[in-house]
Amino acid sequence: SQQGEEDPQALSIQEGENATMNCSYKTSINNLQWYRQNSGRGLVHLILIRSNEREKHSGRLRVTLDTSKKSSSLLITASRAADTASYFCATDAISGAGSYQLTFGKGTKLSVIP
Amino acid sequence: SQTIHQWPATLVQPVGSPLSLECTVEGTSNPNLYWYRQAAGRGLQLLFYSVGIGQISSEVPQNLSASRPQDRQFILSSKKLLLSDSGFYLCAWSHRETYGYTFGSGTRLTVV
């Protein structure tokens, strides 16, 4: 079942603008992660934010987490054409076997127009 | 450094034929290993995960199976493919301590 749900499903912006993507989830989490996927490729881990953190930065990426609203946002500042990709949020779940699993949303498809 | 290899990159198979996709990890030991499937325009669906050699957990009942014959090798198999098995298959590994997943480059499977 899907835990994270990204919004919007698709986003088209001009190069240089900021892109904001949102993610909502349903159950309590230990951490939330954002991944990027270029068309036809594997996913690349971008950033992880723990449940006791409210904001995290990495280069042009800014992630916020609001555990009371069970939501997160990913902001990409000064977007570039190379940022065109799908972005997924993922939340963790600790199984009885002690393994660690991520549940992914359906993603936001970002198009940055040069 | 750790690397993950997944092959083949693309595969076209007839309905009813067998399947074997292989994933290997280098540069780490005792990783958690995962197989995900991504249908067109959709999110990732966890198929199998493994915490150790011979330990496989299935998330979705289907005609697929997984095996982990070695610590850093994860294989996805089917005896008879269905049309609905078409999709993009992704292998990934993680460690409990670091949390983030590292994905392979994926296999595009088309069942015809």
Side-chain angles (χ1 to χ4, degrees):
Chain A
S1 63
Q2 299 290 345
Q3 163 75 312
E5 293 290 339
E6 291 89 347
D7 169 58
Q9 292 185 345
L11 179 62
S12 183
I13 60 173
Q14 295 289 328
E15 200 166 29
E17 293 180 340
N18 295 341
T20 300
M21 290 159 271
N22 303 296
C23 170
S24 60
Y25 57 91
K26 298 176 182 176
T27 62
S28 297
I29 60 171
N30 291 326
N31 65 73
L32 185 144
Q33 303 177 32
W34 285 91
Y35 288 78
R36 166 196 168 122
Q37 183 182 32
N38 286 56
S39 180
R41 306 292 297 273
L43 279 74
V44 175
H45 181 261
L46 294 176
I47 196 166
L48 178 153
I49 186 166
R50 300 184 188 280
S51 60
N52 61 353
E53 298 176 310
R54 292 296 168 260
E55 188 172 310
K56 203 161 184 179
H57 297 255
S58 177
R60 293 185 295 114
L61 304 180
R62 173 178 170 256
V63 170
T64 62
L65 179 64
D66 187 335
T67 53
S68 66
K69 295 181 180 178
K70 291 186 169 57
S71 67
S72 173
S73 68
L74 170 67
L75 168 67
I76 303 174
T77 60
S79 64
R80 305 167 182 168
D83 294 328
T84 295
S86 291
Y87 293 82
F88 295 85
C89 70
T91 53
D92 70 333
I94 304 297
S95 76
S99 73
Y100 163 66
Q101 303 172 49
L102 286 179
T103 303
F104 289 81
K106 294 182 180 180
T108 292
K109 190 169 184 179
L110 173 66
S111 299
V112 181
I113 303 167
Chain B
S1 63
Q2 301 96 348
T3 57
I4 179 168
H5 303 281
Q6 187 181 343
W7 68 93
T10 59
L11 192 60
V12 180
Q13 291 285 95
V15 169
S17 64
L19 172 73
S20 180
L21 302 180
E22 190 161 343
C23 172
T24 59
V25 180
E26 296 177 358
T28 188
S29 59
N30 196 30
N32 289 342
L33 296 171
Y34 310 85
W35 279 110
Y36 281 85
R37 177 170 61 199
Q38 185 178 31
R42 301 187 64 182
L44 279 72
Q45 179 186 37
L46 179 63
L47 301 176
F48 301 95
Y49 67 90
S50 172
V51 299
I53 296 174
Q55 301 179 60
I56 308 295
S57 296
S58 174
E59 289 295 302
V60 182
Q62 57 211 328
N63 68 322
L64 299 172
S65 63
S67 62
R68 185 171 178 173
Q70 300 180 45
D71 180 46
R72 289 169 287 179
Q73 183 184 29
F74 205 24
I75 298 172
L76 182 69
S77 304
S78 174
K79 292 182 180 178
K80 289 185 177 181
L81 284 169
L82 306 173
L83 286 174
S84 57
D85 291 324
S86 294
F88 192 52
Y89 288 82
L90 289 157
C91 178
W93 74 271
S94 74
H95 271 154
R96 296 174 191 79
E97 296 78 18
T98 55
Y99 293 113
Y101 279 20
T102 300
F103 281 86
S105 54
T107 295
R108 174 75 59 193
L109 172 66
T110 304
V111 182
V112 297

